[in-house]
Amino acid sequence: MIVYFSGTGNSRYCAQMLADLLQDECKDVFTYLRNGTWATLTSEKPWVFIAPTYSWQLPRVFVDFIRSSSFSGNQNAYILMTCGGDIGNAAFKNKALLEEKGLCGHGTFPVVMPDNYLVMFPTPPREEVEKAVSAARPSIKKAAVFIQKGEDFPPQGGGPLNWLKSGPVNTLFYKFQVKAKPFTASNACISCGKCQQVCPLGNIHLQEGKPVWGNRCTHCMACICSCPVGVIEYGKATRGKPRYQCPEYHSTASEQREK
């Protein structure tokens, strides 16, 4: 079973493509996170956990979900992390997490996708998105082959720089960066409630027709990137930057023949 968390669609795309290639079931954790509940799941096939990279680690909300949920049946597990560049030392922490759950971890696989974290980085213009997503497909296919063969993913991470990124930098990122307070919506807001609907933590509610953010933000960028009229900003950091949504996954004829 493929279990995934996604804010703007990168990890969902990977999960859907892997499910297509492996003929496996996809499970989105959105409803569990939104309701504050944990899952009791069983699978005959290996577990594949997929999520974006937040400051060179898995998102803490996804780690908490894995740690609190039950996974029975097949005890082999793989982790895929979508990222804008690299995943630092995340593989070592992921291995410990899977061991904690009594699962036999077979490594972590990075898949480079378009960057959605417009709070800190530039996002690609629309004309470059399709090209970047297409470039990621061979990596997803490669991951599928390892899983089909029951083999370990190639080793990732190691070295002092990766330790620094996934360790102290990640800690500082959550302490100083992951905050909802700078989010605002201008008076051009049309009160559609889309931002409220897509927030995986239920951290947004409408007050007099405009969104108000609480204190449970995970910086997934779902709200700002889903606004149909583009009126949500994160302070001055996001002004003038394109909003990002991953294109929908569609199987190609060649992939159908490979199954």
Short mmCIF file of all heavy atoms in Angstrom, two decimals, residues 158-226:
data_model
loop_
_atom_site.label_atom_id
_atom_site.label_comp_id
_atom_site.label_asym_id
_atom_site.label_seq_id
_atom_site.Cartn_x
_atom_site.Cartn_y
_atom_site.Cartn_z
N GLY A 158 24.68 11.11 4.57
CA GLY A 158 26.02 10.95 5.09
C GLY A 158 26.80 12.25 4.99
O GLY A 158 26.51 13.11 4.16
N GLY A 159 27.78 12.43 5.86
CA GLY A 159 28.62 13.61 5.82
C GLY A 159 28.12 14.72 6.72
O GLY A 159 26.93 14.79 7.03
N PRO A 160 29.03 15.58 7.16
CA PRO A 160 28.68 16.63 8.12
C PRO A 160 27.67 17.65 7.59
O PRO A 160 26.84 18.15 8.34
CB PRO A 160 30.02 17.30 8.44
CG PRO A 160 30.93 16.91 7.31
CD PRO A 160 30.47 15.57 6.85
N LEU A 161 27.73 17.99 6.30
CA LEU A 161 26.80 18.98 5.76
C LEU A 161 25.37 18.45 5.79
O LEU A 161 24.44 19.17 6.19
CB LEU A 161 27.19 19.35 4.34
CG LEU A 161 26.27 20.39 3.66
CD1 LEU A 161 26.21 21.68 4.46
CD2 LEU A 161 26.74 20.65 2.22
N ASN A 162 25.18 17.21 5.39
CA ASN A 162 23.85 16.62 5.42
C ASN A 162 23.35 16.48 6.86
O ASN A 162 22.16 16.67 7.13
CB ASN A 162 23.84 15.26 4.71
CG ASN A 162 23.88 15.40 3.21
OD1 ASN A 162 23.27 16.29 2.64
ND2 ASN A 162 24.63 14.51 2.55
N TRP A 163 24.23 16.13 7.76
CA TRP A 163 23.85 16.06 9.18
C TRP A 163 23.38 17.43 9.66
O TRP A 163 22.37 17.54 10.37
CB TRP A 163 25.03 15.61 10.03
CG TRP A 163 24.74 15.66 11.50
CD1 TRP A 163 24.12 14.72 12.26
CD2 TRP A 163 25.02 16.77 12.39
NE1 TRP A 163 23.99 15.17 13.56
CE2 TRP A 163 24.53 16.40 13.66
CE3 TRP A 163 25.64 18.00 12.21
CZ2 TRP A 163 24.66 17.25 14.77
CZ3 TRP A 163 25.75 18.85 13.30
CH2 TRP A 163 25.27 18.47 14.57
N LEU A 164 24.09 18.47 9.26
CA LEU A 164 23.73 19.83 9.68
C LEU A 164 22.36 20.22 9.13
O LEU A 164 21.52 20.78 9.85
CB LEU A 164 24.80 20.81 9.18
CG LEU A 164 24.60 22.28 9.55
CD1 LEU A 164 24.78 22.48 11.05
CD2 LEU A 164 25.61 23.15 8.79
N LYS A 165 22.10 19.92 7.87
CA LYS A 165 20.83 20.31 7.24
C LYS A 165 19.64 19.60 7.88
O LYS A 165 18.61 20.22 8.16
CB LYS A 165 20.88 20.02 5.74
CG LYS A 165 21.83 20.95 4.98
CD LYS A 165 21.71 20.81 3.48
CE LYS A 165 22.21 19.51 2.95
NZ LYS A 165 22.28 19.48 1.48
N SER A 166 19.77 18.29 8.09
CA SER A 166 18.65 17.52 8.64
C SER A 166 18.57 17.58 10.15
O SER A 166 17.60 17.10 10.73
CB SER A 166 18.76 16.05 8.20
OG SER A 166 18.62 15.93 6.81
N GLY A 167 19.59 18.17 10.78
CA GLY A 167 19.62 18.28 12.24
C GLY A 167 19.33 19.70 12.71
O GLY A 167 18.18 20.11 12.77
N PRO A 168 20.36 20.48 13.02
CA PRO A 168 20.15 21.83 13.56
C PRO A 168 19.34 22.74 12.64
O PRO A 168 18.50 23.52 13.13
CB PRO A 168 21.59 22.34 13.75
CG PRO A 168 22.42 21.12 13.92
CD PRO A 168 21.79 20.09 13.03
N VAL A 169 19.57 22.68 11.32
CA VAL A 169 18.83 23.57 10.41
C VAL A 169 17.35 23.24 10.44
O VAL A 169 16.50 24.13 10.46
CB VAL A 169 19.40 23.47 8.99
CG1 VAL A 169 18.52 24.28 8.02
CG2 VAL A 169 20.83 24.00 8.93
N ASN A 170 17.02 21.95 10.46
CA ASN A 170 15.62 21.55 10.53
C ASN A 170 14.96 22.04 11.82
O ASN A 170 13.82 22.52 11.80
CB ASN A 170 15.49 20.04 10.42
CG ASN A 170 14.06 19.56 10.46
OD1 ASN A 170 13.51 19.29 11.53
ND2 ASN A 170 13.43 19.46 9.30
N THR A 171 15.69 21.93 12.91
CA THR A 171 15.16 22.40 14.20
C THR A 171 14.88 23.90 14.16
O THR A 171 13.82 24.36 14.61
CB THR A 171 16.16 22.07 15.32
OG1 THR A 171 16.35 20.65 15.39
CG2 THR A 171 15.64 22.56 16.67
N LEU A 172 15.81 24.66 13.61
CA LEU A 172 15.64 26.11 13.51
C LEU A 172 14.51 26.46 12.55
O LEU A 172 13.78 27.43 12.77
CB LEU A 172 16.95 26.76 13.07
CG LEU A 172 18.11 26.68 14.08
CD1 LEU A 172 19.39 27.18 13.45
CD2 LEU A 172 17.78 27.48 15.33
N PHE A 173 14.37 25.69 11.50
CA PHE A 173 13.31 25.91 10.52
C PHE A 173 11.94 25.85 11.19
O PHE A 173 11.10 26.74 11.01
CB PHE A 173 13.41 24.87 9.41
CG PHE A 173 12.24 24.82 8.47
CD1 PHE A 173 12.06 25.80 7.51
CD2 PHE A 173 11.32 23.78 8.54
CE1 PHE A 173 10.98 25.75 6.64
CE2 PHE A 173 10.24 23.72 7.67
CZ PHE A 173 10.07 24.72 6.72
N TYR A 174 11.72 24.82 11.99
CA TYR A 174 10.43 24.69 12.66
C TYR A 174 10.25 25.75 13.76
O TYR A 174 9.14 26.22 13.99
CB TYR A 174 10.28 23.29 13.24
CG TYR A 174 9.71 22.31 12.24
CD1 TYR A 174 10.55 21.54 11.45
CD2 TYR A 174 8.33 22.18 12.06
CE1 TYR A 174 10.03 20.65 10.51
CE2 TYR A 174 7.80 21.31 11.14
CZ TYR A 174 8.66 20.54 10.36
OH TYR A 174 8.14 19.68 9.42
N LYS A 175 11.32 26.13 14.40
CA LYS A 175 11.21 27.09 15.50
C LYS A 175 10.92 28.49 14.99
O LYS A 175 10.09 29.21 15.57
CB LYS A 175 12.50 27.09 16.32
CG LYS A 175 12.43 28.02 17.53
CD LYS A 175 13.70 27.89 18.39
CE LYS A 175 13.61 28.81 19.61
NZ LYS A 175 14.80 28.67 20.49
N PHE A 176 11.57 28.89 13.90
CA PHE A 176 11.48 30.29 13.48
C PHE A 176 10.70 30.50 12.18
O PHE A 176 10.22 31.61 11.93
CB PHE A 176 12.89 30.87 13.30
CG PHE A 176 13.66 30.96 14.58
CD1 PHE A 176 14.72 30.10 14.83
CD2 PHE A 176 13.34 31.90 15.55
CE1 PHE A 176 15.44 30.17 16.01
CE2 PHE A 176 14.05 31.99 16.73
CZ PHE A 176 15.11 31.12 16.97
N GLN A 177 10.56 29.48 11.35
CA GLN A 177 9.97 29.69 10.03
C GLN A 177 8.53 29.19 9.92
O GLN A 177 7.71 29.83 9.26
CB GLN A 177 10.83 28.99 8.97
CG GLN A 177 10.36 29.21 7.54
CD GLN A 177 10.53 30.64 7.07
OE1 GLN A 177 11.37 31.38 7.58
NE2 GLN A 177 9.71 31.06 6.12
N VAL A 178 8.22 28.07 10.54
CA VAL A 178 6.91 27.45 10.35
C VAL A 178 5.88 28.14 11.24
O VAL A 178 5.58 27.71 12.36
CB VAL A 178 6.97 25.93 10.62
CG1 VAL A 178 5.61 25.29 10.34
CG2 VAL A 178 8.03 25.28 9.75
N LYS A 179 5.35 29.23 10.72
CA LYS A 179 4.35 30.02 11.43
C LYS A 179 3.27 30.43 10.44
O LYS A 179 3.53 30.63 9.25
CB LYS A 179 4.97 31.27 12.05
CG LYS A 179 6.12 30.98 13.02
CD LYS A 179 6.71 32.27 13.56
CE LYS A 179 7.96 32.01 14.39
NZ LYS A 179 7.71 31.16 15.56
N ALA A 180 2.05 30.57 10.93
CA ALA A 180 0.94 30.96 10.06
C ALA A 180 0.65 32.46 10.11
O ALA A 180 -0.03 32.98 9.23
CB ALA A 180 -0.32 30.19 10.45
N LYS A 181 1.17 33.16 11.11
CA LYS A 181 0.81 34.56 11.32
C LYS A 181 1.00 35.44 10.09
O LYS A 181 0.17 36.33 9.82
CB LYS A 181 1.60 35.12 12.50
CG LYS A 181 1.15 36.51 12.91
CD LYS A 181 1.90 36.97 14.17
CE LYS A 181 1.43 38.37 14.59
NZ LYS A 181 2.14 38.83 15.82
N PRO A 182 2.08 35.26 9.29
CA PRO A 182 2.26 36.15 8.14
C PRO A 182 1.25 35.95 7.00
O PRO A 182 1.18 36.78 6.10
CB PRO A 182 3.68 35.83 7.66
CG PRO A 182 4.37 35.27 8.86
CD PRO A 182 3.31 34.49 9.57
N PHE A 183 0.47 34.85 7.02
CA PHE A 183 -0.52 34.64 5.96
C PHE A 183 -1.63 35.68 6.06
O PHE A 183 -2.19 35.92 7.13
CB PHE A 183 -1.14 33.25 6.06
CG PHE A 183 -0.30 32.16 5.49
CD1 PHE A 183 0.24 31.17 6.32
CD2 PHE A 183 -0.05 32.07 4.13
CE1 PHE A 183 1.01 30.15 5.80
CE2 PHE A 183 0.73 31.05 3.61
CZ PHE A 183 1.27 30.09 4.44
N THR A 184 -1.95 36.28 4.94
CA THR A 184 -3.06 37.22 4.87
C THR A 184 -3.78 37.06 3.54
O THR A 184 -3.22 36.54 2.58
CB THR A 184 -2.58 38.69 4.98
OG1 THR A 184 -1.66 38.96 3.91
CG2 THR A 184 -1.93 38.96 6.32
N ALA A 185 -5.02 37.51 3.51
CA ALA A 185 -5.78 37.55 2.26
C ALA A 185 -6.25 38.98 2.04
O ALA A 185 -6.75 39.62 2.97
CB ALA A 185 -6.97 36.61 2.32
N SER A 186 -6.09 39.47 0.84
CA SER A 186 -6.46 40.86 0.56
C SER A 186 -7.97 41.02 0.47
O SER A 186 -8.73 40.04 0.49
CB SER A 186 -5.81 41.32 -0.75
OG SER A 186 -6.49 40.74 -1.86
N ASN A 187 -8.41 42.25 0.32
CA ASN A 187 -9.84 42.54 0.21
C ASN A 187 -10.44 42.00 -1.10
O ASN A 187 -11.66 42.02 -1.26
CB ASN A 187 -10.09 44.04 0.32
CG ASN A 187 -9.83 44.56 1.72
OD1 ASN A 187 -9.99 43.84 2.70
ND2 ASN A 187 -9.40 45.82 1.82
N ALA A 188 -9.58 41.53 -2.00
CA ALA A 188 -10.07 40.94 -3.25
C ALA A 188 -10.53 39.49 -3.05
O ALA A 188 -10.99 38.85 -4.00
CB ALA A 188 -9.00 41.01 -4.33
N CYS A 189 -10.40 38.99 -1.81
CA CYS A 189 -10.86 37.62 -1.48
C CYS A 189 -12.33 37.48 -1.86
O CYS A 189 -13.16 38.34 -1.56
CB CYS A 189 -10.66 37.37 0.01
SG CYS A 189 -11.36 35.81 0.61
N ILE A 190 -12.67 36.35 -2.51
CA ILE A 190 -14.05 36.13 -2.95
C ILE A 190 -14.83 35.22 -2.00
O ILE A 190 -15.94 34.78 -2.31
CB ILE A 190 -14.08 35.54 -4.38
CG1 ILE A 190 -13.32 34.20 -4.44
CG2 ILE A 190 -13.50 36.53 -5.39
CD1 ILE A 190 -13.42 33.49 -5.78
N SER A 191 -14.25 34.91 -0.85
CA SER A 191 -14.92 34.12 0.20
C SER A 191 -15.38 32.75 -0.29
O SER A 191 -16.43 32.25 0.12
CB SER A 191 -16.12 34.90 0.76
OG SER A 191 -15.72 36.16 1.24
N CYS A 192 -14.58 32.12 -1.16
CA CYS A 192 -14.97 30.82 -1.70
C CYS A 192 -14.72 29.68 -0.72
O CYS A 192 -15.30 28.60 -0.84
CB CYS A 192 -14.23 30.54 -3.01
SG CYS A 192 -12.43 30.34 -2.82
N GLY A 193 -13.81 29.88 0.26
CA GLY A 193 -13.52 28.86 1.24
C GLY A 193 -12.57 27.78 0.77
O GLY A 193 -12.36 26.79 1.48
N LYS A 194 -11.97 27.94 -0.40
CA LYS A 194 -11.06 26.92 -0.93
C LYS A 194 -9.87 26.70 0.01
O LYS A 194 -9.48 25.56 0.26
CB LYS A 194 -10.55 27.34 -2.32
CG LYS A 194 -9.61 26.36 -2.98
CD LYS A 194 -10.30 25.09 -3.41
CE LYS A 194 -9.37 24.21 -4.21
NZ LYS A 194 -10.03 22.94 -4.64
N CYS A 195 -9.31 27.77 0.55
CA CYS A 195 -8.17 27.64 1.45
C CYS A 195 -8.54 26.83 2.68
O CYS A 195 -7.75 26.01 3.17
CB CYS A 195 -7.64 29.01 1.85
SG CYS A 195 -8.89 30.12 2.54
N GLN A 196 -9.73 27.04 3.19
CA GLN A 196 -10.22 26.29 4.35
C GLN A 196 -10.37 24.82 4.01
O GLN A 196 -10.02 23.95 4.81
CB GLN A 196 -11.56 26.87 4.79
CG GLN A 196 -12.17 26.22 6.03
CD GLN A 196 -13.52 26.82 6.37
OE1 GLN A 196 -14.29 27.18 5.48
NE2 GLN A 196 -13.80 26.96 7.64
N GLN A 197 -10.85 24.53 2.82
CA GLN A 197 -11.10 23.15 2.40
C GLN A 197 -9.82 22.36 2.23
O GLN A 197 -9.78 21.16 2.53
CB GLN A 197 -11.89 23.14 1.09
CG GLN A 197 -13.29 23.73 1.19
CD GLN A 197 -13.88 24.01 -0.18
OE1 GLN A 197 -13.41 23.49 -1.20
NE2 GLN A 197 -14.91 24.84 -0.22
N VAL A 198 -8.75 22.99 1.73
CA VAL A 198 -7.54 22.23 1.39
C VAL A 198 -6.54 22.14 2.53
O VAL A 198 -5.57 21.39 2.43
CB VAL A 198 -6.84 22.84 0.15
CG1 VAL A 198 -7.76 22.81 -1.06
CG2 VAL A 198 -6.33 24.25 0.43
N CYS A 199 -6.74 22.88 3.61
CA CYS A 199 -5.79 22.83 4.73
C CYS A 199 -5.83 21.47 5.40
O CYS A 199 -6.87 21.07 5.95
CB CYS A 199 -6.11 23.93 5.75
SG CYS A 199 -4.99 23.88 7.18
N PRO A 200 -4.73 20.72 5.41
CA PRO A 200 -4.75 19.37 5.96
C PRO A 200 -4.90 19.31 7.48
O PRO A 200 -5.23 18.26 8.02
CB PRO A 200 -3.40 18.79 5.53
CG PRO A 200 -2.52 19.98 5.39
CD PRO A 200 -3.40 21.07 4.86
N LEU A 201 -4.67 20.43 8.15
CA LEU A 201 -4.76 20.45 9.60
C LEU A 201 -5.99 21.20 10.11
O LEU A 201 -6.14 21.39 11.31
CB LEU A 201 -3.49 21.06 10.20
CG LEU A 201 -2.18 20.32 9.89
CD1 LEU A 201 -1.01 21.00 10.57
CD2 LEU A 201 -2.26 18.86 10.30
N GLY A 202 -6.86 21.61 9.20
CA GLY A 202 -8.04 22.37 9.63
C GLY A 202 -7.66 23.65 10.34
O GLY A 202 -8.34 24.07 11.28
N ASN A 203 -6.61 24.29 9.87
CA ASN A 203 -6.04 25.45 10.55
C ASN A 203 -6.62 26.77 10.07
O ASN A 203 -6.20 27.83 10.53
CB ASN A 203 -4.51 25.45 10.37
CG ASN A 203 -3.82 26.47 11.24
OD1 ASN A 203 -4.06 26.54 12.44
ND2 ASN A 203 -2.95 27.28 10.64
N ILE A 204 -7.57 26.72 9.13
CA ILE A 204 -8.12 27.94 8.55
C ILE A 204 -9.64 27.95 8.73
O ILE A 204 -10.30 26.94 8.48
CB ILE A 204 -7.77 28.05 7.06
CG1 ILE A 204 -6.25 28.02 6.84
CG2 ILE A 204 -8.38 29.32 6.45
CD1 ILE A 204 -5.84 27.93 5.39
N HIS A 205 -10.18 29.08 9.15
CA HIS A 205 -11.63 29.24 9.16
C HIS A 205 -11.97 30.61 8.59
O HIS A 205 -11.12 31.53 8.58
CB HIS A 205 -12.20 29.10 10.58
CG HIS A 205 -11.86 30.22 11.50
ND1 HIS A 205 -10.66 30.29 12.20
CD2 HIS A 205 -12.55 31.33 11.85
CE1 HIS A 205 -10.63 31.38 12.93
NE2 HIS A 205 -11.76 32.04 12.75
N LEU A 206 -13.17 30.74 8.07
CA LEU A 206 -13.60 32.02 7.52
C LEU A 206 -14.27 32.87 8.59
O LEU A 206 -15.11 32.39 9.34
CB LEU A 206 -14.57 31.80 6.36
CG LEU A 206 -14.04 31.08 5.12
CD1 LEU A 206 -15.08 31.09 4.01
CD2 LEU A 206 -12.73 31.69 4.63
N GLN A 207 -13.85 34.10 8.66
CA GLN A 207 -14.43 35.05 9.61
C GLN A 207 -14.85 36.29 8.81
O GLN A 207 -14.01 36.96 8.20
CB GLN A 207 -13.39 35.42 10.67
CG GLN A 207 -13.93 36.34 11.76
CD GLN A 207 -12.89 36.53 12.85
OE1 GLN A 207 -12.36 35.59 13.43
NE2 GLN A 207 -12.59 37.79 13.15
N GLU A 208 -16.13 36.53 8.79
CA GLU A 208 -16.69 37.60 7.97
C GLU A 208 -16.26 37.44 6.52
O GLU A 208 -15.94 38.42 5.81
CB GLU A 208 -16.28 38.97 8.51
CG GLU A 208 -16.81 39.24 9.92
CD GLU A 208 -16.42 40.61 10.43
OE1 GLU A 208 -15.65 41.32 9.75
OE2 GLU A 208 -16.89 40.98 11.52
N GLY A 209 -16.22 36.18 6.09
CA GLY A 209 -15.93 35.88 4.69
C GLY A 209 -14.47 35.83 4.30
O GLY A 209 -14.15 35.53 3.15
N LYS A 210 -13.56 36.10 5.25
CA LYS A 210 -12.14 36.07 4.92
C LYS A 210 -11.42 35.02 5.78
O LYS A 210 -11.81 34.78 6.93
CB LYS A 210 -11.51 37.45 5.16
CG LYS A 210 -11.96 38.51 4.16
CD LYS A 210 -11.19 39.80 4.36
CE LYS A 210 -9.72 39.65 4.06
NZ LYS A 210 -8.98 40.93 4.14
N PRO A 211 -10.38 34.40 5.23
CA PRO A 211 -9.68 33.35 5.99
C PRO A 211 -8.89 33.89 7.16
O PRO A 211 -8.27 34.96 7.08
CB PRO A 211 -8.75 32.73 4.94
CG PRO A 211 -8.54 33.81 3.92
CD PRO A 211 -9.82 34.58 3.89
N VAL A 212 -8.93 33.13 8.26
CA VAL A 212 -8.13 33.43 9.44
C VAL A 212 -7.35 32.16 9.77
O VAL A 212 -7.91 31.07 9.83
CB VAL A 212 -9.02 33.83 10.64
CG1 VAL A 212 -8.17 34.02 11.89
CG2 VAL A 212 -9.81 35.09 10.32
N TRP A 213 -6.05 32.31 9.99
CA TRP A 213 -5.19 31.16 10.24
C TRP A 213 -4.99 30.96 11.74
O TRP A 213 -4.82 31.93 12.50
CB TRP A 213 -3.83 31.37 9.58
CG TRP A 213 -3.83 31.14 8.10
CD1 TRP A 213 -3.40 30.03 7.45
CD2 TRP A 213 -4.28 32.05 7.07
NE1 TRP A 213 -3.56 30.19 6.09
CE2 TRP A 213 -4.11 31.41 5.83
CE3 TRP A 213 -4.84 33.33 7.10
CZ2 TRP A 213 -4.43 32.01 4.61
CZ3 TRP A 213 -5.18 33.93 5.90
CH2 TRP A 213 -4.98 33.29 4.67
N GLY A 214 -4.98 29.69 12.16
CA GLY A 214 -4.70 29.35 13.55
C GLY A 214 -3.22 29.10 13.76
O GLY A 214 -2.38 29.59 12.99
N ASN A 215 -2.88 28.30 14.76
CA ASN A 215 -1.47 28.09 15.10
C ASN A 215 -1.00 26.67 14.83
O ASN A 215 -0.01 26.22 15.42
CB ASN A 215 -1.22 28.45 16.57
CG ASN A 215 -2.07 27.62 17.52
OD1 ASN A 215 -2.78 26.72 17.10
ND2 ASN A 215 -2.00 27.94 18.80
N ARG A 216 -1.68 25.94 13.92
CA ARG A 216 -1.29 24.55 13.64
C ARG A 216 -0.71 24.39 12.23
O ARG A 216 -0.73 23.31 11.66
CB ARG A 216 -2.49 23.62 13.80
CG ARG A 216 -3.07 23.59 15.21
CD ARG A 216 -4.16 22.55 15.35
NE ARG A 216 -3.67 21.20 15.14
CZ ARG A 216 -4.16 20.37 14.22
NH1 ARG A 216 -5.13 20.75 13.41
NH2 ARG A 216 -3.68 19.15 14.10
N CYS A 217 -0.19 25.44 11.67
CA CYS A 217 0.30 25.41 10.28
C CYS A 217 1.51 24.50 10.13
O CYS A 217 2.39 24.45 10.99
CB CYS A 217 0.66 26.83 9.85
SG CYS A 217 1.13 26.97 8.12
N THR A 218 1.56 23.78 9.01
CA THR A 218 2.72 22.94 8.71
C THR A 218 3.49 23.44 7.49
O THR A 218 4.43 22.81 7.04
CB THR A 218 2.30 21.47 8.50
OG1 THR A 218 3.45 20.65 8.36
CG2 THR A 218 1.40 21.31 7.28
N HIS A 219 3.07 24.59 6.93
CA HIS A 219 3.72 25.20 5.77
C HIS A 219 3.72 24.29 4.54
O HIS A 219 4.71 24.22 3.81
CB HIS A 219 5.15 25.63 6.12
CG HIS A 219 5.22 27.04 6.60
ND1 HIS A 219 6.30 27.88 6.37
CD2 HIS A 219 4.33 27.80 7.31
CE1 HIS A 219 6.08 29.05 6.92
NE2 HIS A 219 4.88 29.03 7.49
N CYS A 220 2.59 23.65 4.30
CA CYS A 220 2.46 22.80 3.11
C CYS A 220 2.20 23.62 1.85
O CYS A 220 2.30 23.11 0.74
CB CYS A 220 1.35 21.77 3.31
SG CYS A 220 -0.32 22.47 3.35
N MET A 221 1.79 24.88 2.00
CA MET A 221 1.52 25.81 0.91
C MET A 221 0.23 25.49 0.15
O MET A 221 -0.02 26.03 -0.94
CB MET A 221 2.69 25.88 -0.08
CG MET A 221 3.98 26.35 0.54
SD MET A 221 3.94 28.08 1.11
CE MET A 221 4.00 27.83 2.90
N ALA A 222 -0.60 24.60 0.70
CA ALA A 222 -1.85 24.25 0.02
C ALA A 222 -2.77 25.45 -0.10
O ALA A 222 -3.39 25.68 -1.14
CB ALA A 222 -2.55 23.12 0.75
N CYS A 223 -2.87 26.25 0.95
CA CYS A 223 -3.82 27.38 0.94
C CYS A 223 -3.41 28.44 -0.07
O CYS A 223 -4.21 28.86 -0.92
CB CYS A 223 -3.96 27.97 2.34
SG CYS A 223 -2.44 28.64 3.05
N ILE A 224 -2.17 28.88 0.00
CA ILE A 224 -1.71 29.97 -0.86
C ILE A 224 -1.68 29.55 -2.32
O ILE A 224 -1.93 30.36 -3.23
CB ILE A 224 -0.34 30.49 -0.39
CG1 ILE A 224 0.02 31.79 -1.11
CG2 ILE A 224 0.75 29.46 -0.56
CD1 ILE A 224 1.25 32.48 -0.54
N CYS A 225 -1.39 28.28 -2.57
CA CYS A 225 -1.29 27.81 -3.96
C CYS A 225 -2.64 27.37 -4.53
O CYS A 225 -2.75 27.18 -5.74
CB CYS A 225 -0.29 26.66 -4.05
SG CYS A 225 1.43 27.20 -3.84
N SER A 226 -3.64 27.20 -3.68
CA SER A 226 -4.96 26.78 -4.16
C SER A 226 -5.93 27.93 -4.34
O SER A 226 -7.00 27.74 -4.92
CB SER A 226 -5.57 25.76 -3.18
OG SER A 226 -4.80 24.58 -3.14
#
